[in-house]
Amino acid sequence: MYVTIVANCDQLDEAYGAQHGCKPVVPRVPYKWPLAIDLFKIQYDALRSGHTLEAFSKYINIEGTIKFEVFGGSGLIINDPKNIEAILSTHFEDYGLGSRRIGALPLLGEGIFTQDGTAWQHSRELIRRQFVRVQKQNLRDFTAHVDELVSALADAAVDSDTVVNMQPYFTEFTLGTTTQLLFGEPHSVLPKADRDALRESFDYASQIFGIRLRLADLAPLYNPPKFKKACKIVRDWATFFSDKAMRYKDTFGEEKAFDKYSFLVDLWREMRDEGLVRDQLLHILIAGRDTTAATIGWTFFHLVRNPDILARLKKEVADVPRDEHVTREMIAKLPYLRCCLNETLRLYPQLAVNVRFAVKTTMLPQGGGPDGRSPVLIPRGTGVGWSTYHLHRLESIYGKDARVYRPERWEDGELIKKAGLGGYVDFNAGPRICLGKNFALMEISYAIIRILQAFPNIRLPPGEQNLPVGQELQDLSIILFPGEGVKVQLK
């Protein structure tokens, strides 16, 4: 007679941990109220203050790996490059999106930011193929959008004493370039009233989306009627463009449609589902619009607050011919511009906070035991979150002046090597690295070059605050925007 003995999950986890020398995490996030409800209040107060991430610095910076407990459950907060590299790269298959999917679905639907496993692999390959094609093209498609941006800024600065908030113009610019890429025509083809309504809905939906992501499994409890309406407006807008392309395909044939709407038609060829095509496009759109606009905004935010940096960058971009289209080769010859972008993305990364959930029992390389050097057991279902915002400000990587905007730190190329994959996560990293990274950097660079050439006297308005990094207001949605915009004088 044979008896099969099946160990329970806890016993299997303990055996796995013992096999790999795992030890428990000692540091923990302190709380006072039952079930750690006070941590939710702290987060709510921080959101209202405009200093959300700074308010959590005292917790995130306790140690490189910290245990937190809320509502009877527990997870980890990590600020350790080795552990982040493990999640994003070396142990990528051990983690999934978990509750992030719940928070994102009402706005984005099915796509690369809400999928795991084979569905994600398929979506990513489709999108990757499109960006490979785009990277082989020249940058002429940006020219009209950049010219429109410069013209709009010039109109706003008719009076030389006028203070211009550049951030709304950056958002409109990136929305135009991204819709041109995805839908084959710019957002500006719509009436102004429709564009304004969309922008308001997009901004509101993104803000609530950011909050829902932080609520994790509780996201469905925060679903205000205005959010539902905003999501519908955004999705209907995307449907309008995708339907237009499909009608063109039905009228003129697939090949002609591909010439005009290549990104959209190629997705349709593979998926044969117009709803899924729309969702995929929305995923790219929300990243291409918001994160790119924020990066341009934060760059100018600091340029006008650092006259020496601004003067050096203006001198470099002056060598770019004004009467020609900007090319990739021209941008490659502007190393200081890239240093400025690296520094912006360091202090204000594309994805300021992130989280993954273990899809099977696994481990992190370190963080366990009294000295924090032993591996850490991660049972299946455990949530592990990190703040790229804080990671990029670690003095152990970036030096004592880590909270200073100093592009020169990137010049010799050694810092990028020191930071490694887990210490500098500008466009995410590993298998989920942003497919639109090159597109975004070219778009940002093109815009900065032409703005500096068109407005050589750009400067910080008198009386505008120049607070130390970390004290500036931040609008936290999916990513970070300057909380009070980017106010400058252009003439």
Side-chain angles (χ1 to χ4, degrees):
M1 179 177 180
Y2 297 93
V3 177
T4 301
I5 300 176
V6 180
N8 62 38
C9 291
D10 289 342
Q11 290 174 328
L12 292 175
D13 289 346
E14 288 176 7
Y16 179 94
Q19 178 186 353
H20 293 92
C22 297
K23 295 183 179 179
V25 174
V26 176
R28 58 186 289 274
V29 176
Y31 61 89
K32 298 178 181 178
W33 297 359
L35 302 179
I37 296 176
D38 53 323
L39 297 181
F40 281 99
K41 182 179 185 305
I42 291 170
Q43 181 165 335
Y44 176 75
D45 292 342
L47 279 169
R48 297 182 63 189
S49 73
H51 296 94
T52 308
L53 293 172
E54 282 299 319
F56 281 88
S57 294
K58 61 182 179 181
Y59 303 111
I60 293 174
N61 291 332
I62 291 174
E63 286 291 346
T65 305
I66 322 155
K67 183 177 182 180
F68 75 92
E69 299 141 313
V70 63
F71 288 151
S74 65
L76 296 177
I77 298 173
I78 58 175
N79 200 23
D80 183 324
K82 288 186 178 180
N83 286 344
I84 292 172
E85 181 175 359
I87 294 174
L88 293 179
S89 182
T90 54
H91 290 83
F92 173 79
E93 298 293 341
D94 296 352
Y95 296 91
L97 298 179
S99 60
R100 175 168 143 183
R101 174 179 171 83
I102 302 172
L105 275 175
L107 177 60
L108 299 182
E110 293 289 346
I112 54 175
F113 296 141
T114 56
Q115 293 173 330
D116 284 317
T118 55
W120 168 77
Q121 291 172 356
H122 181 239
S123 293
R124 185 172 176 86
E125 177 55 28
L126 294 179
I127 303 301
R128 186 199 64 80
R129 190 169 65 200
Q130 292 304 310
F131 277 110
V132 168
R133 177 181 57 80
V134 169
Q135 287 171 22
K136 294 179 181 178
Q137 299 174 348
N138 59 44
L139 304 183
R140 289 192 176 190
D141 287 343
F142 289 135
T143 301
H145 297 285
V146 173
D147 289 347
E148 187 176 332
L149 168 63
V150 171
S151 177
L153 290 171
D155 290 343
V158 172
D159 183 347
S160 61
D161 294 326
T162 298
V163 175
V164 178
N165 180 6
M166 302 176 81
Q167 193 62 55
Y169 297 94
F170 296 151
T171 302
E172 191 70 11
F173 163 66
T174 56
L175 183 59
T177 57
T178 310
T179 51
Q180 179 79 58
L181 168 73
L182 300 177
F183 301 119
E185 52 190 318
H187 172 59
S188 57
V189 300
L190 292 176
K192 185 177 184 303
D194 291 346
R195 298 201 307 270
D196 291 343
L198 173 67
R199 183 173 60 250
E200 292 174 6
S201 296
F202 226 135
D203 290 345
Y204 178 77
S206 296
Q207 181 183 22
I208 301 303
F209 177 26
I211 296 173
R212 284 170 58 91
L213 291 184
R214 285 155 188 81
L215 290 174
D217 289 336
L218 300 179
L221 300 179
Y222 190 61
N223 195 28
K226 187 177 177 181
F227 175 63
K228 296 179 184 178
K229 182 179 178 181
C231 290
K232 184 178 186 304
I233 289 173
V234 172
R235 293 174 68 80
D236 286 349
W237 169 81
T239 300
F240 166 81
F241 280 104
S242 59
D243 285 352
K244 188 176 180 179
M246 291 297 101
R247 288 195 300 270
Y248 188 92
K249 172 185 68 65
D250 294 339
T251 303
F252 297 101
E254 193 172 308
E255 290 306 315
K256 281 193 174 182
F258 180 78
D259 291 339
K260 185 176 178 62
Y261 303 104
S262 53
F263 209 114
L264 197 154
V265 171
D266 194 58
L267 287 177
W268 178 82
R269 283 173 172 173
E270 290 287 341
M271 308 186 85
R272 300 288 172 171
D273 185 315
E274 294 177 18
L276 290 177
V277 169
R278 176 206 58 210
D279 287 357
Q280 293 284 2
L281 296 173
L282 272 173
H283 282 245
I284 306 168
L285 178 67
I286 201 164
R289 181 244 190 190
D290 288 353
T291 57
T292 306
T295 300
I296 303 173
W298 281 118
T299 300
F300 276 101
F301 182 92
H302 282 289
L303 287 177
V304 296
R305 284 165 170 77
N306 294 275
D308 292 344
I309 296 174
L310 177 59
R312 181 176 174 185
L313 184 57
K314 285 195 296 185
K315 183 178 180 180
E316 183 177 78
V317 303
D319 292 333
V320 178
R322 299 190 183 200
D323 56 351
E324 299 179 19
H325 295 287
V326 176
T327 66
R328 286 183 169 84
E329 291 73 25
M330 292 176 184
I331 292 173
K333 294 178 181 178
L334 305 174
Y336 193 64
L337 172 57
R338 184 53 196 268
C339 288
C340 290
L341 297 185
N342 281 353
E343 189 70 345
T344 299
L345 289 164
R346 180 180 74 84
L347 291 171
Y348 312 97
Q350 295 261 317
L351 191 60
V353 292
N354 212 334
V355 65
R356 291 289 186 272
F357 293 82
V359 296
K360 65 179 183 180
T361 297
T362 184
M363 67 175 184
L364 292 176
Q366 59 187 28
D371 60 2
R373 295 183 179 179
S374 298
V376 177
L377 175 67
I378 307 295
R380 179 180 178 181
T382 302
V384 183
W386 67 94
S387 166
T388 311
Y389 176 90
H390 291 91
L391 172 73
H392 285 181
R393 295 163 190 237
L394 287 177
E395 292 185 3
S396 58
I397 298 176
Y398 298 101
K400 294 293 184 181
D401 65 346
R403 298 175 71 84
V404 174
Y405 188 88
R406 187 172 66 84
E408 291 76 12
R409 72 177 78 244
W410 298 96
E411 284 190 292
D412 64 7
E414 291 303 312
L415 181 56
I416 196 74
K417 298 176 185 177
K418 179 181 180 182
L421 185 147
Y424 183 60
V425 191
D426 54 349
F427 286 83
N428 213 342
R432 281 191 182 265
I433 191 170
C434 176
L435 290 168
K437 176 177 179 176
N438 178 270
F439 180 87
L441 288 173
M442 294 300 102
E443 178 184 9
I444 293 166
S445 299
Y446 204 142
I448 291 174
I449 290 166
R450 290 305 191 218
I451 290 172
L452 291 180
Q453 291 178 335
F455 306 106
N457 297 319
I458 187 172
R459 63 196 182 279
L460 187 69
E464 190 71 15
Q465 286 187 310
N466 191 359
L467 297 170
V469 171
Q471 293 185 26
E472 71 276 38
L473 287 177
Q474 300 164 355
D475 176 16
L476 183 67
S477 53
I478 301 173
I479 36 71
L480 295 168
F481 278 95
E484 293 184 339
V486 185
K487 297 176 182 176
V488 301
Q489 283 187 305
L490 296 174
K491 295 182 179 179

